Amino acid sequence: RDLHSFPTRRSSNLAIDNSIVQDEKQTDSILKVFEACARRYGCKLYLVDNLMSALCSPDEENKAQARFTAQLKAFAGKYKAHVIMVAHPRKEKVDAVFTNDSISGSSAISNLADNVINVEKTPTKGIRVTKNRDFGVTGFINTCYDPANRRIFQYNTGDKIVYGWDHSGINIPENQAITLEEFSIDDGTQTPPI
């Protein structure tokens, strides 16, 4: 869809498929779409998934990554918005602990970012915060994944929220995280029914 064919009312959700911004300078097109969404719809949250697919040419890749990251940071500041940029880690040893230097490509990616968060699958499932510019709090948060609810939640707090999503066609596991004792919270209330 063309950007101008979207409804003109303000909306909290607006999705733009990057297939509509295909030109030689795809990063410029992405920024133009983001700016149009900020001005026209008041959008405050943007996602670039992933950095490598936004860059068309491998020539001077690190410089292009640094330039695009700086442009996204300037955009976020100008429009008081949040930009989430997916950047994959470089290939490292299996037991290596993720650091800001683990991000594949330019060091400017983590240097310019306000927050750096890594989703880890092995050996322990969790989210590792390696940079937090506002509060300085970093560390590892153990998490679990509930396929029935399609949610990641903090390991020691459980997943007590039941959403009204349609589960038809989904094989719900017999033992959902919400029913397991190790994920429950002893706050005097009973676990909600599934």
Side-chain angles (χ1 to χ4, degrees):
R1 276 176 93 173
D2 181 82
L3 176 64
H4 301 290
S5 67
F6 283 99
T8 56
R9 68 175 182 82
R10 289 195 176 272
S11 173
S12 60
N13 300 309
L14 180 65
I16 305 291
D17 185 335
N18 71 344
S19 64
I20 68 167
V21 288
Q22 293 187 8
D23 64 15
E24 197 171 295
K25 292 286 283 178
Q26 189 168 7
T27 56
D28 290 344
S29 295
I30 290 169
L31 285 164
K32 285 178 187 174
V33 169
F34 281 9
E35 287 181 8
C37 291
R39 286 192 309 270
R40 187 168 183 187
Y41 303 109
C43 294
K44 295 293 182 186
L45 181 64
Y46 300 84
L47 172 68
V48 177
D49 184 10
N50 72 47
L51 177 61
M52 295 310 294
S53 65
L55 302 171
C56 295
S57 172
D59 299 337
E60 298 187 20
E61 194 171 276
N62 284 353
K63 287 182 182 179
Q65 290 174 356
R67 184 172 43 256
F68 186 50
T69 303
Q71 290 172 320
L72 289 172
K73 183 162 179 81
F75 165 82
K78 179 178 179 180
Y79 292 100
K80 295 180 178 35
H82 300 277
V83 178
I84 299 169
M85 181 172 56
V86 176
H88 294 282
R90 64 182 91 245
K91 299 199 183 325
E92 294 183 337
K93 294 179 184 176
V94 175
D95 57 348
V97 175
F98 179 87
T99 67
N100 292 345
D101 293 332
S102 301
I103 297 172
S104 180
S106 173
S107 61
I109 297 167
S110 61
N111 290 342
L112 290 168
D114 290 329
N115 302 293
V116 177
I117 300 167
N118 182 47
V119 178
E120 298 182 6
K121 297 177 187 175
T122 56
T124 306
K125 291 181 176 123
I127 298 172
R128 185 174 307 278
V129 179
T130 58
K131 183 175 182 182
N132 180 335
R133 192 180 305 272
D134 290 336
F135 303 106
V137 179
T138 60
F140 186 79
I141 303 165
N142 285 311
T143 61
C144 296
Y145 175 71
D146 187 346
N149 291 323
R150 300 181 186 139
R151 294 189 64 227
I152 295 173
F153 58 92
Q154 191 170 338
Y155 172 79
N156 62 349
T157 61
D159 186 16
K160 297 180 96 177
I161 301 170
V162 177
Y163 292 97
W165 296 337
D166 180 11
H167 289 132
S168 60
I170 298 174
N171 295 329
I172 298 175
E174 187 174 311
N175 292 320
Q176 294 185 41
I178 197 169
T179 63
L180 301 175
E181 187 175 306
E182 63 262 34
F183 302 127
S184 65
I185 303 170
D186 187 12
D187 62 355
T189 62
Q190 292 185 334
T191 303
I194 299 171

